[in-house]
């Protein structure tokens, strides 16, 4: 049974790349009937913040995919300490008492290139090491990378294929810092082993860490998981996406706040580095689960498109419009109601249900519904240019005739869109006007703009009272101008 995990470090908000890692893990789990685990990698107390944790949860909750099990590394220190002790006991690890000073190596062993270990520390006898530790001397616990003889560490990444590195090129990496806190490598592998993770699916930036992890899994006596690394996400100029340089573009919540449907965003992220091999683009959650396999993940970096002015990728916007279009209107109405309320409109459920189908194919984001449907909700239209009332092939007098006639024919009788249409068409021919010459003045009078949803339905939903009021107002404006 597949068990996968998403393991964010709470050092910032939920990054677009992390969200994609989460989604690929989730799809893999769902496709294979496996288990999705959320593991919070919060061992680095100096860099972790509760705020960041909250915002990661906020992002994940918005994606609305859920997970099956949840762990926090900060609650599992015991496990890492026990595992470290066992590694020391079995000779897979040793204490390094080299004092860390500014010039020396960091605890991760990243010093000058090619650094492998402090040989004298590696060679320290166990008795001497125990004595110095008992005396309270600080140390870093390091993994004893097999060196004599050196060997190749080999694995087949499910995306990047065959990988190999000689232990002659792997430094004795730290397992425990001098504070006793586990490093990422240690905590991550101990957890992956303990949680019986079968597939590690994560960003390509971790590909080279995998050699260390394999050595560690071997030493822990764990069953070796499979590895799949995901291609990098890059900016249009080829730069790696970074929180610092690309700010809002990389935050998941930017898309939420722009009025995206989580399913559309999930769909968009899936197409960054994966494809279903049949040219489909717009895919529902169910279709993604059904189609998702790691074989479909590409090796080449995936470009996220944005500009300095607009952080939203046009492809994402298009997908969002498609997802909005395919929602049942009742569901969309439910989603739009709060958007309209936030804009300050009074909206009843009934009104939301009637307006929604009229604008469903005209909005690319939920937020668009505010500017596209405002005239349904306000009593007074925002000021518009009365010249808009005049049809293209016509003049002011013609507009006036059309509106005066409309005022009469709409003031009584059935106000269903079919009846409205019938009466307005008859009125147009009575006046010798083309449909467009009759309808444009009415549309502008009621909606305040030329570009609006289908006229007769719009009139019906706006209601007789509003329509008559606005048509009368438009007549007044035209008269005043002539
Ligand atoms: N906490 C690590 C990160 O955020 C997890 C990497 C992994 O999946 O092993 O990069």
């Amino acid at each position: 049974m597949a068990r996968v995990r998403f393991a964010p470090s709470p050092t910032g908000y939920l990054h677009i790349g992390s969200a994609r890692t989460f989604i690929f893990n989730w799809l893999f789990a769902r496709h294979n009937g496996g288990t999705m685990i959320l593991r919070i990698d919060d061992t680095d107390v100096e860099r972790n913040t509760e705020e960041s944790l909250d915002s990661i949860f906020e992002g994940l909750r918005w994606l609305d995919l859920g997970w099956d099990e949840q762990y926090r590394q900060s609650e599992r220190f015991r496990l890492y300490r026990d595992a470290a002790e066992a590694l020391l006991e079995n000779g897979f690890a040793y204490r390094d008492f080299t004092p860390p000073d500014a010039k020396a190596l960091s605890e991760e062993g990243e010093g000058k290139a090619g650094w492998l270990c402090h040989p004298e520390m590696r060679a320290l006898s166990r008795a001497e090491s125990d004595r110095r530790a008992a005396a309270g001397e600080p140390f870093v616990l390091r993994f004893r990378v097999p060196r004599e003889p050196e060997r190749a560490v080999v694995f087949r990444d499910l995306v990047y294929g065959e990988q190999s590195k000689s232990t002659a090129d792997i430094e004795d990496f730290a397992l425990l810092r001098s504070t006793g806190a586990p490093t990422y490598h240690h905590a991550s592998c101990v957890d992956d082993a303990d949680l019986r993770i079968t597939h590690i699916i994560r960003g390509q930036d971790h590909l080279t860490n995998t050699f260390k992890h394999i050595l560690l899994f071997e030493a822990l006596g764990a069953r070796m998981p499979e590895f799949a690394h995901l291609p990098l996400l890059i900016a249009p100029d080829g730069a790696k996406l970074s929180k610092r340089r690309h700010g809002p573009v990389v935050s998941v919540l930017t898309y939420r706040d722009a009025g995206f449907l989580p399913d559309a965003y999930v769909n968009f992220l899936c197409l960054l580095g994966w494809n279903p091999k049949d040219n489909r683009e717009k895919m529902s959650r169910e279709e993604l689960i059904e189609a998702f396999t790691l074989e479909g993940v590409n090796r080449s970096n995936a470009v996220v498109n944005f500009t300095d002015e607009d952080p939203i990728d046009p492809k994402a916007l298009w997908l969002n419009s498609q997802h909005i279009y395919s929602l049942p209107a009742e569901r969309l109405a439910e989603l739009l109601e709060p958007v309209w309320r936030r804009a300050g409109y009074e909206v009843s459920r009934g009104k939301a249900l009637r307006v929604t189908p009229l604008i469903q194919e005209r909005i690319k984001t939920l937020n668009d519904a505010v500017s596209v449907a405002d005239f349904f909700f306000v009593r007074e239209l925002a000021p518009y240019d009365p010249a808009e009332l005049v049809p293209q092939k016509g003049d002011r007098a013609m507009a006036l005739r059309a509106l005066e006639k409309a005022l009469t024919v709409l003031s009584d009788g059935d106000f269903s869109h079919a009846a409205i249409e019938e009466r307005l068409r008859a009125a147009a021919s009575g006046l010798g006007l083309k449909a467009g010459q009759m309808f444009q003045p009415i549309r502008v009078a009621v909606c305040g703009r030329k570009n609006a949803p289908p006229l007769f339905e719009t009139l019906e939903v706006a209601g007789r009272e509003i329509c008559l009021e606005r048509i009368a107002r438009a007549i007044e404006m035209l008269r005043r101008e002539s």
Side-chain angles (χ1 to χ4, degrees):
M1 191 67 114
R3 289 175 62 82
V4 294
R5 86 305 195 268
F6 169 61
S9 306
T11 53
Y13 48 73
L14 187 66
H15 181 285
I16 182 169
S18 306
R20 187 196 53 173
T21 300
F22 174 81
I23 293 165
F24 282 20
N25 273 286
W26 187 89
L27 288 172
F28 183 81
R30 294 296 172 260
H31 181 89
N32 294 294
T35 302
M36 173 72 199
I37 293 166
L38 174 66
R39 186 183 87 201
I40 305 294
D41 281 6
D42 57 350
T43 57
D44 189 347
V45 281
E46 312 222 310
R47 296 181 60 223
N48 296 161
T49 65
E50 278 305 308
E51 212 184 338
S52 152
L53 192 61
D54 290 345
S55 99
I56 289 173
F57 273 110
E58 197 180 346
L60 291 179
R61 270 195 297 268
W62 176 63
L63 293 179
D64 193 26
L65 299 174
W67 50 90
D68 308 310
E69 295 174 21
Q70 181 176 321
Y71 304 90
R72 260 185 102 145
Q73 287 194 325
S74 57
E75 292 162 1
R76 295 163 62 84
F77 271 86
R78 192 58 218 265
L79 193 69
Y80 313 135
R81 208 160 310 143
D82 291 352
E85 252 160 49
L87 290 170
L88 178 66
E89 226 31 68
N90 300 329
F92 290 113
Y94 65 92
R95 300 189 187 96
D96 181 345
F97 295 95
T98 314
D101 64 42
K103 278 248 164 71
L105 303 151
S106 78
E107 291 177 346
E108 292 293 344
E110 311 146 341
K112 49 186 188 321
W115 180 86
L116 290 178
C117 62
H118 297 122
E120 68 289 2
M121 290 296 155
R122 201 175 141 110
L124 217 58
S125 74
R126 183 59 200 274
E128 173 71 359
S129 170
D130 287 350
R131 190 192 58 71
R132 288 172 71 169
E137 202 178 323
F139 63 86
V140 169
L141 189 77
R142 290 194 185 279
F143 188 80
R144 189 186 296 277
V145 174
R147 301 207 182 280
E148 281 147 18
E150 63 200 39
R151 52 165 274 221
V153 182
V154 181
F155 69 99
R156 214 182 74 74
D157 187 83
L158 295 174
V159 174
Y160 288 88
E162 217 56 35
Q163 306 290 318
S164 170
K165 189 170 186 173
S166 164
T167 55
D169 298 321
I170 303 174
E171 82 278 7
D172 285 0
F173 52 97
L175 302 174
L176 298 183
R177 299 168 204 280
S178 53
T179 56
T183 60
Y184 152 66
H185 300 304
H186 184 61
S188 183
C189 291
V190 170
D191 274 338
D192 288 335
D194 182 66
L195 301 173
R196 292 171 284 108
I197 301 300
T198 58
H199 295 75
I200 295 183
I201 305 169
R202 62 185 169 194
Q204 193 256 20
D205 44 333
H206 286 290
L207 188 65
T208 54
N209 285 332
T210 305
F211 299 108
K212 293 175 183 163
H213 297 182
I214 286 177
L215 291 171
L216 197 39
F217 283 129
E218 286 173 358
L220 290 166
R223 212 182 109 189
M224 196 60 69
E226 302 268 7
F227 296 92
H229 288 84
L230 308 175
L232 284 184
L233 299 185
I234 55 171
D237 66 359
K240 192 179 163 197
L241 277 188
S242 89
K243 293 186 188 181
R244 197 171 44 75
R245 280 194 48 211
H246 304 110
V249 176
V250 302
S251 169
V252 167
L253 298 181
T254 297
Y255 279 79
R256 178 196 66 180
D257 297 343
F260 271 70
L261 297 177
D263 276 4
Y265 189 63
V266 167
N267 187 173
F268 166 63
L269 290 192
C270 283
L271 300 179
L272 293 175
W274 173 84
N275 67 73
K277 302 250 153 84
D278 56 9
N279 294 327
R280 266 182 303 171
E281 296 208 295
K282 191 230 154 201
M283 295 174 79
S284 69
R285 196 169 286 205
E286 291 68 33
E287 288 168 330
L288 288 168
I289 293 174
E290 148 64 48
F292 187 83
T293 61
L294 291 170
E295 289 78 63
V297 177
N298 317 315
R299 289 184 195 179
S300 40
N301 296 339
V303 181
V304 182
N305 279 304
F306 57 88
T307 61
D308 287 343
E309 292 75 43
D310 188 358
I312 304 293
D313 188 309
K315 173 81 162 280
L317 199 59
W318 175 78
L319 283 168
N320 200 44
S321 67
Q322 301 298 303
H323 278 264
I324 287 179
Y325 186 62
S326 52
L327 277 183
E330 303 76 57
R331 175 69 190 130
L332 180 57
E334 261 169 37
L335 296 171
L336 292 181
E337 255 184 74
V339 175
W340 282 320
R341 290 227 174 82
R342 270 199 300 280
Y345 304 147
E346 258 178 53
V347 195
S348 65
R349 171 51 55 89
K351 185 83 177 252
L353 279 172
R354 297 175 76 206
V355 171
T356 298
L358 299 183
I359 62 161
Q360 186 155 12
E361 47 180 304
R362 310 175 74 82
I363 56 174
K364 292 199 172 78
T365 68
L366 299 178
N367 296 2
D368 284 348
V370 172
S371 58
V372 169
D374 54 350
F375 58 86
F376 283 114
F377 301 109
V378 295
R379 185 81 210 198
E380 290 258 337
L381 283 184
Y384 60 89
D385 181 357
E388 299 271 291
L389 292 162
V390 179
Q392 219 168 26
K393 293 201 178 109
D395 54 18
R396 195 158 294 211
M398 180 191 282
L400 257 178
R401 265 188 294 142
L403 290 171
E404 281 162 352
K405 187 73 183 167
L407 197 60
T408 335
V409 301
L410 295 178
S411 32
D412 51 32
D414 183 359
F415 210 70
S416 71
H417 63 86
I420 293 172
E421 173 166 9
E422 203 184 305
R423 262 181 285 152
L424 289 182
R425 285 195 191 280
S429 61
L431 294 173
L433 297 180
K434 295 214 172 70
Q437 294 171 322
M438 178 83 193
F439 300 157
Q440 181 186 321
I442 302 172
R443 178 177 294 114
V444 174
V446 174
C447 307
R449 70 190 69 130
K450 284 184 201 153
N451 190 354
L455 181 64
F456 313 111
E457 282 89 345
T458 297
L459 298 182
E460 178 187 329
V461 172
R464 189 193 314 268
E465 196 187 329
I466 287 279
C467 291
L468 296 179
E469 190 176 300
R470 290 182 186 171
I471 291 171
R473 181 82 226 292
I475 293 173
E476 231 175 82
M477 286 191 338
L478 282 175
R479 283 198 185 132
R480 216 178 306 132
E481 300 253 322
S482 43

